[in-house]
Structures are given as C-alpha cells and as structure tokens.
Amino acid sequence: MADEVSLKDVADTAGVSLATASRALRGLSTVAPATRQRVELAARRLGYVASFNASSFASRKTNSIGFIVPYVDRWFFSKVIVNAEQELRRYGLDLVLYSVGLEEEQRRRFFTELPVRRRVDALAVLCLPLRESEIAALELLRIPVATLGTRVGDHPCVRIDDHAAATTAVRHLINLGHRDIAIITGQANVDLGFTSSGDRVNAYQDTLLAAGIEPDPRWRVDGDFTAASGDHAMSQLLSRSPLPTAVFAASDEMAFGALGSLRRHGMRVPEDLSLIGFDDHELAEPLELTTVSQPVPEQGRLLGRLLLEQLSGTAGQHDIVLPTHLAVRRSTARRLPS
Amino acid sequence: MADEVSLKDVADTAGVSLATASRALRGLSTVAPATRQRVELAARRLGYVASFNASSFASRKTNSIGFIVPYVDRWFFSKVIVNAEQELRRYGLDLVLYSVGLEEEQRRRFFTELPVRRRVDALAVLCLPLRESEIAALELLRIPVATLGTRVGDHPCVRIDDHAAATTAVRHLINLGHRDIAIITGQANVDLGFTSSGDRVNAYQDTLLAAGIEPDPRWRVDGDFTAASGDHAMSQLLSRSPLPTAVFAASDEMAFGALGSLRRHGMRVPEDLSLIGFDDHELAEPLELTTVSQPVPEQGRLLGRLLLEQLSGTAGQHDIVLPTHLAVRRSTARRLPS
DNA sequence: CTGAAAGCGCTTACAG
DNA sequence: CTGAAAGCGCTTACAG
C-alpha cells in the first residue's frame, strides 16, 4: 500500500501541521472549530484512514482487549463474546481471543509465556477460576482485568448467583411434588473447575436437604455441558432403578441431549419425567424446556463496559450480580400420585 | 509498562546489535547458530516478548486477518471462526471480526468507510454474496481475499455443493415413498441473500420435478435459519390442508424449532411426519434428526489455510468443494400406505 | 554472518 | 489554539 494517503497529505492539504491534523481528526478539544473543519474536509476528500498500527504504536496503546475463554463455539460463550465485542468496538477497541480451555498444556503455556503481554490493554477472563500462580502471572501484566462468572482476586466481575438460581430450579421441582430428583451436573470437566457448575450442584443438595430429602448419590451423573454428555447421562439414569421422577440438568444443552435419550427410551416429558434446564438457550422455548433464564447478552455488554470503565479510569461498581428467573414451560409437571 | 524489557536489552545482554538480535529471535537463517543461541538465552533470561505493535508497524504488516461475517453467535459461523482462528494463530496472525449482517446501514458503512483498511493483511468473507459495488470496494484494498460458501469474483473459496447436498436430502424423502414434501427455507433473509439458501430451494424444486412431482407453493414456508423461525414455519404448515408427509428444513436449527412445533401439535416424528435437516448440528444426533452432514470445522481450517497460502504467495487450489453426506437417523421413515 | 542507520506513520510533551 | 521536534520499538535495505 505504498499509495496510502498519510496524515501528512491531509495536513498539507488543509494547510496545517501534522500535530494539528492529528488532534483535529481525533476530536481533541484544543483545535479551533474552523481548523477542525478544514482538516476533516481534507481527510474526507483524500479518503484518509489512519494506520491502526502506527497510531497504536505511537500512543503506546494496543487498542485491543484480550479475552481468555474456555470455549468460543459454545452457546453461552459465543453470546457473551459477540455482545462484549460490540460494546468495545464503539470505542475503537478490538477483541482478541485466547482459547485456553481444552488442554492443560495450552493453559500452562498461556500463563507462562503470556502472549497477551504487550499485546492488549486489558484482559477479560471468562468463567475460568484461576489458580494462585495464574493470578500472580496476570498481575505481572499490570493491566486492567475484569471477569465473568467467577471472581478473580478483587477484579471487577459480572455474574449471576448460580446457587440461588439453581435453588429456584430445584425448588420448582419440589413444589410440583417431586422428591426423587436427579441431577446432571457439569462437573465432568473438573480440570476447568467452573465454579458455576459446583454452585449448581451444591444448591441442588442444599435445597433437597432443606426440604427433608436425602440426596441419593446414584441420582447424580456428571456431564460436561455438551448435549452428548447430557444424552449419555440421562441414559445412565434411566438404567437405574428406581427411576427419578424429575431431573435437573445444569445446562440447557445437556437437557437437550437428555431429551433425546428420553425419547429413545420411550419416556414422555413431562408425563413420565419432568426435566428442567439452566440458561434459557434459544432452543429452550421451541423445545418447551422449563429452565432458569439468565441474561447472557447483558452479561457480555456489562463485561465490555467494566473493561472500558477501567481503561478510562471511571471504574464503578465492582461485583455486578444479575438477576435470573424461572421460565416455566411444558417439560415440568406435577408429580403423579403413584 | 515503562519497565518492559526491550529488544535493545536483549541485544546488549547477548553482546550483539539490535539487527542481529531481531533476526535471531525471528528465526531468520542468516544468523550463526552460536549467535542465535546467545540471543535466545538472553531473551529467555530477561523474559523478553516483542511488542506486537512495534514489530507490526516496523514491518508494515498488521499480522491480522479480517473476517466479514453475517453472524458470529450462530452455530455454523462460530464453528468456522474458531477453526479458522486456530489455523491462523499458529502463524502469529490475529483474527479480527466484523459483523455486517444485521442491518443494511451497517453493511453500507462497512463497504464505504472500509474500517479494515490499513488494519488487516487479508480478508475472509463468510457466506455473503457481495454486490458489484462491494466487490469493487474490496479490490481497492489490494489485499488477499478468500471466501466461504459463496464465490466472490475469482477469489479462492471453500464451500460445499449446496444444490447437490439438498438434492440428497429430498431424494432421501422421495425414496422413502414421500411425494407430499414441504420445505422450510432460509429465504426470509432476502437482504443477506445467502446463496446456500437459494441453492437448497432450487434443489428441492428440481428434485421434485425430476421425480414427476409438481412443487406445491403452499408447502414452501420461508424461515431465517433460526429455531424460532423453524417453529413458526412448521406451525404454518400444520395449519394447512392437506398436510405434507415430509418436511425438508434448510438448516438443523430450523428443524429443531419445527420439532418443537410438531410436539406441541401432538404430531409424532417420524410416524406422522418425516423431518430432515441440513448441517449436522451437534444436537442433531441426540435429537435423532436425519440431516445432510457438512464438514464445518474443516471448512474453517481450510479457509484459514487459503488465506495463509495467499499471504505466503503459495496459493494452490482455488475453489475447494468439500463433500457432504446423508446422516440417516430416526426422524425420517417410509411413508405409510394411507 | 553482522552492524550502523534510516525509517515505518503516527502521537505527545514542550514551547509559544 | 498551533507547530517543530522527539520518539514510540522494532525491521530492513545497505554495506561490509
């Protein structure tokens, strides 16, 4: 692109210095309105676009925000990322993605080599509870950090109350008369250690106990948040006896898999078994899944805003807990008197 | 980060010049092995990481690839993006996302303001058939372009044969004895004009005609690839009379929505109606949906590779058409003699 | 195989 | 409100 229009061209055309042209185009307030107009006109005429690289380099900012995520091609994460990205793009910031979920080795490398160093102005950590050593590594960066789902140190965080939300789900089943309630957890991914997963299991147990029901360990099966694991988990539950009358799946995607298993086994929902999920995935409504609804796009937007606030030094509230609610659909019903 | 280790520090420690240090760390071949070792050791000792901005700027490369996409939070696109990104990251390239799908205004701005200018080294266009004026705008950039799903000018492309794939789906229904076959298209998004959507509709009509069946316009309902639209479309079909005995949904997500509608209407699949989708979404297997399977991750990887090849001047094959296959599951069955 | 020097295209104190 | 000049931290001809 040897023929790209440079800021110098704009400055010359407008009859001002490089410095003034730069200030005018960035909207700095120390430029006379008339001057600004001339510069803007020249820039438009010449079709000038600033070099991202050059201006980032000169200003010692990267204009990029790093996102450390376990997965990007899962419903929850893709929604969060899209919405955070839109929030950041308004301020000219790029989102650069780092997937560290899959392998321990990948994660270790990320935190030792710190590829984000000198590469991003701030960092978002999504649903990854960090170890002490990892937190220490991040502090070395000396850049703002915000997290989603799980608090990391004192960094600002946006999340939901997983324990309370899961409690709502289990209590809904209990209120419908169920006592034989199984759970499909997300705990198979122990290495990632999503806190939300643990919180949901704990809520399940606490809520049962509070209702005077002893949680039966045979009615807990661990999935990994995928539909396939939900399918498999439900098949395991259906091979046991006695059968539960209701199942709480810790994510909608697992619930969808469970739905498949139930159909293959000739079990009707909710007539033979009630099923409740967690998330309010967009398929939950068409598939009539009762679930705990959480505001995913809003979490993404707020995460973006937390980062923005820190970069501009106007950091506000630090631990934002968003509300969830029960979306009652057809997949849960009153327990039949048996 | 006033205290970041610079290349100068590394050079001094290793007792070489800046230039040599730079060459050694980038693995250029014109460095003596012993020298290289000394430099690498020094870099490791000091914990040196090159400034992305500075090296990009100095080398007049952005080390970023732009992805123009209609959506990023839909199954197909998120899979493609993840896989392309992994391919690119191996070569130190970042993927920067531009969503231009939603509003016409957004799209117009993208192609007139060209925010990718001076911002990316190459561009990927995903499933967006471009207009002449838009193609012209891209050519102005004078950077490599590769596309997914739809050819744009002569640029390299990776795709499937949508017409052939959809033909397989419809023929499967015909082979099962169905003649009253409806279609849920993706044509509601006319503004985006996905070619895949049109190709699938055409294949549907062509295949019916080839079998001596006159396509009935009442059995075509337009969706927009979302589950909600599939749900709605199926409800419309079910309100008509006579009913089709089989339905081809142009995407799995629409098929899932259709499944919801069918259940609410008390229709059994496949006993009362056969349903076939398109994509092989991960929920297709648990939900037992017969579908046309396309290799989505591979399309992402190949797209990344096409871009890489062009950047390194080793461009190979230019129009890669990947195979698809029918995944037969429980949602389709032989038409009952009525 | 190595080094000295120019330069990438902006932004930013500093001075006025 | 504006300009001259330094400088951001690397890479890249060029020369040897």
Side-chain angles (χ1 to χ4, degrees), chain A residues 162-168 170-171 183 197-210 248:
Chain A
D162 276 287
H163 192 284
T167 298
T168 313
V170 178
R171 197 169 288 152
I183 183 170
S197 179
D199 289 347
R200 295 175 197 176
V201 177
N202 291 339
Y204 160 79
Q205 294 175 326
D206 296 347
T207 312
L208 289 187
L209 286 171
F248 169 39

Short mmCIF file of all heavy atoms in Angstrom, two decimals, chain A residues 162-168 170-171 183 197-210 248:
data_model
loop_
_atom_site.label_atom_id
_atom_site.label_comp_id
_atom_site.label_asym_id
_atom_site.label_seq_id
_atom_site.Cartn_x
_atom_site.Cartn_y
_atom_site.Cartn_z
N ASP A 162 -25.31 -18.31 40.93
CA ASP A 162 -25.62 -19.68 40.49
C ASP A 162 -26.32 -20.50 41.56
O ASP A 162 -27.19 -21.32 41.27
CB ASP A 162 -24.33 -20.39 40.07
CG ASP A 162 -23.95 -20.06 38.64
OD1 ASP A 162 -24.64 -20.57 37.72
OD2 ASP A 162 -23.01 -19.28 38.43
N HIS A 163 -25.92 -20.29 42.80
CA HIS A 163 -26.53 -21.06 43.88
C HIS A 163 -28.01 -20.72 43.99
O HIS A 163 -28.88 -21.60 44.00
CB HIS A 163 -25.80 -20.80 45.20
CG HIS A 163 -26.18 -21.77 46.28
ND1 HIS A 163 -27.37 -21.69 46.96
CD2 HIS A 163 -25.52 -22.85 46.78
CE1 HIS A 163 -27.42 -22.68 47.84
NE2 HIS A 163 -26.32 -23.41 47.75
N ALA A 164 -28.31 -19.42 44.01
CA ALA A 164 -29.70 -19.00 44.12
C ALA A 164 -30.51 -19.46 42.91
O ALA A 164 -31.65 -19.93 43.04
CB ALA A 164 -29.78 -17.48 44.26
N ALA A 165 -29.92 -19.33 41.73
CA ALA A 165 -30.64 -19.69 40.51
C ALA A 165 -30.96 -21.18 40.49
O ALA A 165 -32.08 -21.59 40.16
CB ALA A 165 -29.82 -19.30 39.29
N ALA A 166 -29.99 -21.99 40.84
CA ALA A 166 -30.20 -23.43 40.84
C ALA A 166 -31.20 -23.82 41.93
O ALA A 166 -31.98 -24.77 41.77
CB ALA A 166 -28.87 -24.16 41.04
N THR A 167 -31.16 -23.08 43.01
CA THR A 167 -32.12 -23.34 44.08
C THR A 167 -33.55 -23.17 43.55
O THR A 167 -34.43 -23.99 43.83
CB THR A 167 -31.88 -22.38 45.27
OG1 THR A 167 -30.57 -22.62 45.78
CG2 THR A 167 -32.92 -22.58 46.36
N THR A 168 -33.75 -22.11 42.80
CA THR A 168 -35.06 -21.87 42.20
C THR A 168 -35.52 -23.06 41.38
O THR A 168 -36.69 -23.47 41.42
CB THR A 168 -34.99 -20.65 41.25
OG1 THR A 168 -34.32 -19.60 41.91
CG2 THR A 168 -36.37 -20.22 40.83
N VAL A 170 -34.55 -26.28 41.56
CA VAL A 170 -34.84 -27.48 42.34
C VAL A 170 -36.11 -27.29 43.17
O VAL A 170 -36.94 -28.19 43.29
CB VAL A 170 -33.64 -27.84 43.24
CG1 VAL A 170 -33.96 -29.06 44.10
CG2 VAL A 170 -32.40 -28.09 42.39
N ARG A 171 -36.26 -26.07 43.68
CA ARG A 171 -37.46 -25.82 44.48
C ARG A 171 -38.72 -25.93 43.62
O ARG A 171 -39.76 -26.41 44.08
CB ARG A 171 -37.36 -24.43 45.12
CG ARG A 171 -38.32 -24.25 46.26
CD ARG A 171 -38.04 -22.99 47.05
NE ARG A 171 -36.82 -23.07 47.85
CZ ARG A 171 -36.08 -22.02 48.19
NH1 ARG A 171 -36.42 -20.82 47.77
NH2 ARG A 171 -35.02 -22.18 48.96
N ILE A 183 -29.81 -35.19 39.22
CA ILE A 183 -29.11 -34.03 38.66
C ILE A 183 -28.08 -34.49 37.63
O ILE A 183 -27.41 -35.51 37.82
CB ILE A 183 -28.41 -33.19 39.76
CG1 ILE A 183 -27.76 -31.94 39.13
CG2 ILE A 183 -27.39 -34.02 40.53
CD1 ILE A 183 -27.25 -30.93 40.15
N SER A 197 -20.63 -24.58 37.93
CA SER A 197 -21.03 -25.98 37.98
C SER A 197 -21.11 -26.47 39.42
O SER A 197 -22.10 -27.08 39.82
CB SER A 197 -20.02 -26.80 37.18
OG SER A 197 -20.36 -28.15 37.24
N GLY A 198 -20.09 -26.18 40.20
CA GLY A 198 -20.09 -26.60 41.59
C GLY A 198 -21.22 -25.95 42.37
O GLY A 198 -21.91 -26.60 43.16
N ASP A 199 -21.45 -24.67 42.11
CA ASP A 199 -22.51 -23.96 42.82
C ASP A 199 -23.86 -24.60 42.55
O ASP A 199 -24.70 -24.69 43.45
CB ASP A 199 -22.56 -22.50 42.35
CG ASP A 199 -21.37 -21.70 42.84
OD1 ASP A 199 -20.65 -22.20 43.73
OD2 ASP A 199 -21.14 -20.58 42.33
N ARG A 200 -24.06 -25.03 41.31
CA ARG A 200 -25.37 -25.60 40.98
C ARG A 200 -25.57 -26.95 41.67
O ARG A 200 -26.67 -27.27 42.12
CB ARG A 200 -25.52 -25.72 39.45
CG ARG A 200 -25.52 -24.35 38.78
CD ARG A 200 -25.55 -24.37 37.26
NE ARG A 200 -25.13 -23.05 36.74
CZ ARG A 200 -24.98 -22.75 35.45
NH1 ARG A 200 -25.24 -23.66 34.51
NH2 ARG A 200 -24.60 -21.55 35.08
N VAL A 201 -24.51 -27.71 41.78
CA VAL A 201 -24.61 -28.99 42.48
C VAL A 201 -24.89 -28.75 43.96
O VAL A 201 -25.77 -29.39 44.55
CB VAL A 201 -23.31 -29.80 42.35
CG1 VAL A 201 -23.43 -31.09 43.15
CG2 VAL A 201 -23.01 -30.10 40.90
N ASN A 202 -24.16 -27.82 44.53
CA ASN A 202 -24.37 -27.54 45.95
C ASN A 202 -25.80 -27.08 46.22
O ASN A 202 -26.42 -27.51 47.20
CB ASN A 202 -23.39 -26.47 46.42
CG ASN A 202 -21.97 -26.99 46.45
OD1 ASN A 202 -21.75 -28.21 46.50
ND2 ASN A 202 -21.01 -26.09 46.38
N ALA A 203 -26.29 -26.22 45.35
CA ALA A 203 -27.65 -25.74 45.53
C ALA A 203 -28.64 -26.90 45.48
O ALA A 203 -29.60 -26.96 46.25
CB ALA A 203 -28.00 -24.71 44.46
N TYR A 204 -28.39 -27.81 44.58
CA TYR A 204 -29.24 -29.00 44.45
C TYR A 204 -29.29 -29.76 45.77
O TYR A 204 -30.36 -30.05 46.31
CB TYR A 204 -28.69 -29.87 43.32
CG TYR A 204 -29.11 -31.32 43.30
CD1 TYR A 204 -30.37 -31.69 42.81
CD2 TYR A 204 -28.25 -32.32 43.74
CE1 TYR A 204 -30.75 -33.03 42.77
CE2 TYR A 204 -28.61 -33.65 43.70
CZ TYR A 204 -29.85 -34.01 43.22
OH TYR A 204 -30.22 -35.32 43.18
N GLN A 205 -28.11 -30.01 46.31
CA GLN A 205 -28.07 -30.78 47.56
C GLN A 205 -28.69 -29.99 48.72
O GLN A 205 -29.50 -30.52 49.47
CB GLN A 205 -26.61 -31.14 47.89
CG GLN A 205 -26.06 -32.10 46.84
CD GLN A 205 -24.60 -32.41 47.03
OE1 GLN A 205 -23.84 -31.55 47.47
NE2 GLN A 205 -24.20 -33.64 46.70
N ASP A 206 -28.31 -28.73 48.82
CA ASP A 206 -28.82 -27.91 49.92
C ASP A 206 -30.34 -27.83 49.88
O ASP A 206 -31.01 -27.91 50.92
CB ASP A 206 -28.25 -26.49 49.83
CG ASP A 206 -26.73 -26.49 50.02
OD1 ASP A 206 -26.18 -27.53 50.45
OD2 ASP A 206 -26.10 -25.45 49.71
N THR A 207 -30.88 -27.66 48.68
CA THR A 207 -32.32 -27.47 48.56
C THR A 207 -33.07 -28.76 48.90
O THR A 207 -34.12 -28.73 49.55
CB THR A 207 -32.69 -27.00 47.14
OG1 THR A 207 -31.83 -25.93 46.79
CG2 THR A 207 -34.14 -26.55 47.08
N LEU A 208 -32.50 -29.88 48.46
CA LEU A 208 -33.13 -31.16 48.81
C LEU A 208 -33.12 -31.34 50.33
O LEU A 208 -34.15 -31.65 50.94
CB LEU A 208 -32.40 -32.32 48.14
CG LEU A 208 -32.55 -32.47 46.63
CD1 LEU A 208 -31.89 -33.76 46.16
CD2 LEU A 208 -34.03 -32.47 46.23
N LEU A 209 -31.96 -31.13 50.94
CA LEU A 209 -31.84 -31.32 52.38
C LEU A 209 -32.80 -30.41 53.13
O LEU A 209 -33.46 -30.83 54.09
CB LEU A 209 -30.40 -31.04 52.82
CG LEU A 209 -29.41 -32.15 52.46
CD1 LEU A 209 -27.97 -31.70 52.73
CD2 LEU A 209 -29.75 -33.42 53.25
N ALA A 210 -32.89 -29.16 52.66
CA ALA A 210 -33.78 -28.21 53.32
C ALA A 210 -35.22 -28.68 53.25
O ALA A 210 -36.05 -28.34 54.11
CB ALA A 210 -33.65 -26.83 52.68
N PHE A 248 -32.84 -32.41 37.04
CA PHE A 248 -32.32 -31.04 36.88
C PHE A 248 -31.01 -31.14 36.10
O PHE A 248 -30.04 -31.73 36.57
CB PHE A 248 -32.08 -30.42 38.26
CG PHE A 248 -31.30 -29.13 38.24
CD1 PHE A 248 -31.50 -28.17 37.25
CD2 PHE A 248 -30.36 -28.86 39.24
CE1 PHE A 248 -30.77 -26.97 37.25
CE2 PHE A 248 -29.64 -27.67 39.25
CZ PHE A 248 -29.85 -26.73 38.25
#
